[in-house]
Every structure is written in structure tokens, then in C-alpha cells.
Amino acid sequence: MRLWFLVAVLATLQGCALTVSDPRALHPIDRFAPLASDARIRVEPGYEAYGMRVSEAMPAAIARVEAAHYLPFARPPRVYVCGTEDCFKRYVMTPKLSAAVVPDNRLILSPNLDGREKHRLPALLTHELAHLHLGQRIGHYHSTLPVWFHEGWASLVADGGGADYATDAKVFEAIREGKRVNLTARDAPDKRHRAAASRLSIFEFYRQSMMLVGWLKAQDEARFRELVLAVQDNTDFEIAFWNIYGQAPATRLTAFYDGVLSDNQPVQAAPEKP
């Protein structure tokens, strides 16, 4: 009974690297083999060339994530490379994604990144590694960390990866139409506030979230660093934010939105650099 209750709860938590897999993902991963030259990479047999591309992208992606999180990975990251749709569908509930970190902190790449979205591999690998890095410290999904910050931070780390199908101009247009990320909604273990809660498309949500996180960092990196270190120490996001900024996120980020609505665009953080 408890197992099926857990599965039912997990099935409600969908979206990006926070995507939850169906019960098939809880099966042992037995269709992958270590890449001969890089044991961190596990590949579907026959797709070793794809695995090599992932291996080549790993050092820069890891360096970027560790610099942006101000901490090393708690454990060496492992990446599973699916060369076929059947492989990806076996482990990921929403197979239209190009990459996912599933609940047990498995980072799984889709064959899309070896095909029509080949150019996105470095950025999406970085985005997902950012989720994996955090997942190693606080768990795959934690309701005390809002989705907008989780996704915005990962997209910022990845230089827009994951938010690359929306533009800043599109975000500004949405904001002027009153479509803002809902910063006051609190997530719960069985309720996450994703793009639809803010009347945004998934990519607009990621892009706007990235700009919010980037703005926080650009205003005061020392306090931003203190915030994300507290988050990685499993402190409730709202509590950490109040302790560091002395106000709620929605209040603090009003200045960002005011900048968009004024004649002067808000100062944006440059893409995350190691």
C-alpha cells in the first residue's frame, strides 16, 4: 500500500529535470554499459560514439556547475545515455524531454541530443548536472525550494540551457501583459507551481525564472552566494531568503519587474561563468 501511495505522489510531480518517472524508472538500470574511456558515462550498447560526445562535454559542464554552486559535487556524477526512444521511454515518464533527472537522481539523456537537438547537448547537460548537484545534497525534489528558483538557477548556470526556446524580448512582453512568475505561491510535497500557475509557456517560465535569479546575483553576489549555500545546506528557501535579504522574494524582486515596466530595462546578470 505504501509503495503505491508513493508512486501516486511521484506521478504528480512533472517538469524538466524535475520530471518524475513512472514506476518503470525504479527498476534496476540494466541496459547500459560503462563507456570504456569514462566510467561516469553509461551508454546503451551500440551508442558509444554518443557517449564519447557526452564525455567530452563533461569537464566544462562540471566546472561550470561547481563554480556556480560554490561547492563541488558531493559524489562523482553519473550520466546514462539513451540512444533509442525505447530506452528513454523506459525510464522517463515524459519522453518529449531531451534530458531528465529522475527521482532517484539518475541523469538520463535522450537520443534527441544525438539527433535533431545535437547542438543543445553541452547546455542541457550542464542544466541537468546543476539539478543533479543540488539533488545530491537535498534530494531530487524538495518542496521548500520553489520551482522558479530551481529551474531559473539551472538555466542561468547553463547559459540559458533549458530556456533557449524563449527570448528576453518574449519575457518582457509577457511581463507587460501581466504574466509574471508567481513568487508568493508555496509548493508542497504534492503540489508544485510550474509554468501554468504563472500563465506562461514552459520556456517562458524558465527564461523569466532565469532572469529573476540572474538579477538577484547581479545585484549582490555575496548575498546570492550566501543564499544558495544555505539552500544546499537544506535550509528552507523562504527562511534563508528572509535571513539574508530581510524581506520576501516577491518584495525583493519587485524592483526587477519595475525595471521591465519602466523605460529602463533591469540590469541582468551575465551568463554564469566559472
Side-chain angles (χ1 to χ4, degrees):
M1 179 64 72
R2 290 181 180 178
L3 174 60
W4 285 109
F5 174 78
L6 176 61
V7 168
V9 170
L10 292 177
T12 67
L13 309 177
Q14 301 179 27
C16 176
L18 298 177
T19 294
V20 170
S21 299
D22 66 17
R24 290 173 298 176
L26 302 180
H27 292 172
I29 288 192
D30 56 4
R31 300 188 179 185
F32 297 86
L35 189 67
S37 60
D38 190 342
R40 298 170 303 179
I41 313 299
R42 303 299 172 98
V43 300
E44 183 180 5
Y47 294 90
E48 288 75 16
Y50 180 12
M52 285 296 298
R53 290 181 54 240
V54 175
S55 178
E56 290 166 3
M58 283 283 281
I62 289 172
R64 183 180 287 273
V65 170
E66 292 185 334
H69 287 227
Y70 307 102
L71 287 172
F73 276 89
R75 296 177 295 282
R78 179 173 293 175
V79 180
Y80 295 89
V81 177
C82 280
T84 65
E85 292 291 343
D86 285 345
C87 170
F88 196 62
K89 289 177 181 178
R90 174 176 169 81
Y91 301 106
V92 179
M93 186 176 180
T94 49
K96 290 184 179 180
L97 297 174
S98 294
V101 174
V102 297
D104 45 354
N105 275 326
R106 297 172 180 170
L107 197 172
I108 303 175
L109 301 182
S110 151
N112 292 350
L113 296 177
D114 196 39
R116 63 180 181 273
E117 293 186 310
K118 203 171 189 176
H119 62 287
R120 300 183 75 205
L121 173 60
L124 288 189
L125 176 64
T126 303
H127 183 115
E128 301 303 335
L129 282 171
H131 286 309
L132 180 62
H133 184 288
L134 186 58
Q136 288 183 351
R137 295 182 181 277
I138 70 172
H140 167 73
Y141 165 64
H142 205 301
S143 60
T144 66
L145 183 66
V147 176
W148 69 265
F149 191 87
H150 203 151
E151 295 297 350
W153 189 18
S155 295
L156 184 68
V157 172
D159 195 9
D164 40 336
Y165 287 149
T167 64
D168 289 358
K170 187 69 174 175
V171 169
F172 294 147
E173 179 184 344
I175 291 170
R176 294 187 179 106
E177 292 174 353
K179 299 176 183 178
R180 301 184 178 188
V181 170
N182 188 341
L183 301 174
T184 60
R186 292 297 303 270
D187 288 353
D190 61 344
K191 175 65 175 178
R192 300 179 60 223
H193 295 86
R194 302 186 292 271
S198 303
R199 298 187 297 126
L200 296 165
S201 73
I202 189 68
F203 295 110
E204 290 171 343
F205 178 74
Y206 283 15
R207 191 91 188 170
Q208 189 175 144
S209 297
M210 180 185 75
M211 294 173 78
L212 290 168
V213 177
W215 186 87
L216 279 174
K217 183 177 182 185
Q219 297 305 300
D220 188 335
E221 185 171 357
R223 284 205 278 188
F224 180 81
R225 181 180 186 276
E226 190 178 353
L227 173 66
V228 298
L229 286 175
V231 165
Q232 291 174 95
D233 197 35
N234 222 0
T235 303
D236 179 280
F237 179 79
E238 293 281 337
I239 293 173
F241 202 98
W242 270 98
N243 286 343
I244 293 161
Y245 292 100
Q247 54 190 174
T251 304
R252 182 74 178 179
L253 289 162
T254 295
F256 168 83
Y257 287 115
D258 288 346
V260 174
L261 298 174
S262 71
D263 291 335
N264 299 315
Q265 296 299 333
V267 174
Q268 299 299 315
E272 198 71 49
K273 300 297 181 185

